[in-house]
Amino acid sequence: MTAMLEVRDLEVAYGKILAVKKISFSVEQGQVVSLIGTNGAGKTTTLKTISGLLRPIGGEIWFQGERIDQMAAHDIVTRGLAHSPEGRRIFPRLSVEENLHLGAFSRKDTAGVRADLQAAYDLFPILGERRKQPAGTFSGGEQQMLAMGRAMMSRPKLLMLDEPSMGLSPIMMKRIMSTVTELQSQGTTILLVEQNAQAALKRADYGYVLEVGKIVLSGTGQDLLVNDSVRKAYLGED
Ligand code: ATP
């Protein structure tokens, strides 16, 4: 079986700076796959390239048997690959509901969009309670819920989450992370980028460790959690 997402020898540069150096990894349908690494490792660059916001200088990206690395970002979304970006990128002056609708820009099935709006409110009731409020009045955790809800509005087969736990309280982080598991059980495949290695690996079927643009280690989430070098470098243990 071929993987749902396959990244082969991917290279991405900002001018002369090589940020991603020939990395290869794959995500099988139904899995949660975590990409962990410290600041500047190249995690965000990798996700932006997969979603068509950056062009690679080398390598290939395949999604459901189709090569996507030269495709426009909106065509990639339409094929079922959504990105909840780092820093959330919600529109503060727009209401919650308007922000969610933006996630469905590529869809024409009005009834389906309405059903998915309700699904987002079921997943995160606070979004429903405050659907008319400007999103800019939300806390960090609530904005994260909105960003995830918005990404789900394109009804993705694969959802990429860039640091969903960033800046959240432990309780809010738990809530967001348990949503990852919930979405997986509903059939969504997830590629999760995190600096919080513990939280990301606990839920991962498989994980990759990225260091200065290269994958240095990979294994099941459980294997990586007990791996000595992961424990020392990412879990703060001696
Ligand atoms: P973080 O958790 O800090 O976002 P990251 O693993 O996501 O880290 P990237 O943001 O992908 O890392 O950055 C990878 C490298 O590319 C870093 O050295 C960074 O300084 C560089 N970089 C990122 N964006 C740009 C840019 N727009 N122009 C130049 N260099 C960049």
Side-chain angles (χ1 to χ4, degrees):
M1 201 193 86
T2 54
M4 181 179 236
L5 178 75
E6 183 118 24
V7 172
R8 293 185 200 147
D9 295 330
L10 188 70
E11 284 183 295
V12 192
Y14 297 100
K16 286 185 177 156
I17 304 165
L18 204 53
V20 171
K21 304 167 184 168
K22 287 206 177 194
I23 65 168
S24 298
F25 66 93
S26 55
V27 181
E28 303 282 348
Q29 181 157 5
Q31 283 186 332
V32 171
V33 171
S34 293
L35 207 53
I36 64 165
T38 50
N39 276 325
K43 306 180 299 297
T44 297
T45 303
T46 301
L47 291 198
K48 281 185 173 169
T49 311
I50 295 170
S51 60
L53 302 172
L54 292 173
R55 289 278 173 250
I57 58 163
E60 297 178 1
I61 304 170
W62 292 77
F63 180 60
Q64 296 193 304
E66 206 178 359
R67 193 165 168 185
I68 61 166
D69 49 82
Q70 300 300 323
M71 237 180 233
H74 61 265
D75 287 330
I76 295 173
V77 175
T78 308
R79 278 167 174 74
L81 207 165
H83 184 180
S84 177
E86 185 180 28
R88 290 131 205 178
R89 300 272 185 272
I90 56 135
F91 294 90
R93 287 166 194 262
L94 298 185
S95 71
V96 167
E97 193 141 305
E98 287 164 337
N99 269 278
L100 288 172
H101 270 294
L102 288 175
F105 76 92
S106 64
R107 295 174 58 183
K108 296 188 174 59
D109 57 323
T110 320
V113 170
R114 208 175 308 125
D116 286 349
L117 202 55
Q118 191 52 52
Y121 295 149
D122 290 343
L123 194 60
F124 299 119
I126 192 139
L127 298 184
E129 287 159 25
R130 304 203 194 159
R131 65 182 77 188
K132 301 288 176 216
Q133 272 188 27
T137 61
F138 270 29
S139 73
E142 290 159 353
Q143 290 189 14
Q144 185 56 55
M145 292 177 191
L146 181 55
M148 284 174 77
R150 184 181 56 188
M152 287 306 292
M153 287 299 291
S154 63
R155 210 177 262 194
K157 299 185 178 88
L158 174 63
L159 173 65
M160 299 195 295
L161 299 170
D162 195 348
E163 302 216 16
S165 81
M166 190 167 59
L168 301 188
S169 67
I171 287 178
M172 201 52 100
M173 196 187 83
K174 265 199 179 146
R175 173 88 178 82
I176 293 293
M177 286 299 172
S178 70
T179 307
V180 168
T181 309
E182 199 171 332
L183 291 174
Q184 180 186 29
S185 72
Q186 292 171 8
T188 310
T189 305
I190 291 168
L191 178 56
L192 174 64
V193 155
E194 265 297 336
Q195 282 196 50
N196 186 328
Q198 175 88 34
L201 292 175
K202 229 167 79 183
R203 278 157 190 89
D205 296 295
Y206 209 78
Y208 296 88
V209 180
L210 205 56
E211 273 175 17
V212 270
K214 288 189 174 159
I215 289 174
V216 293
L217 206 59
S218 64
T220 65
Q222 283 310 312
D223 283 350
L224 292 178
L225 269 179
V226 297
N227 179 286
D228 275 346
S229 58
V230 171
R231 295 178 80 91
K232 279 188 190 131
Y234 300 99
L235 305 176
E237 294 181 14
D238 298 326

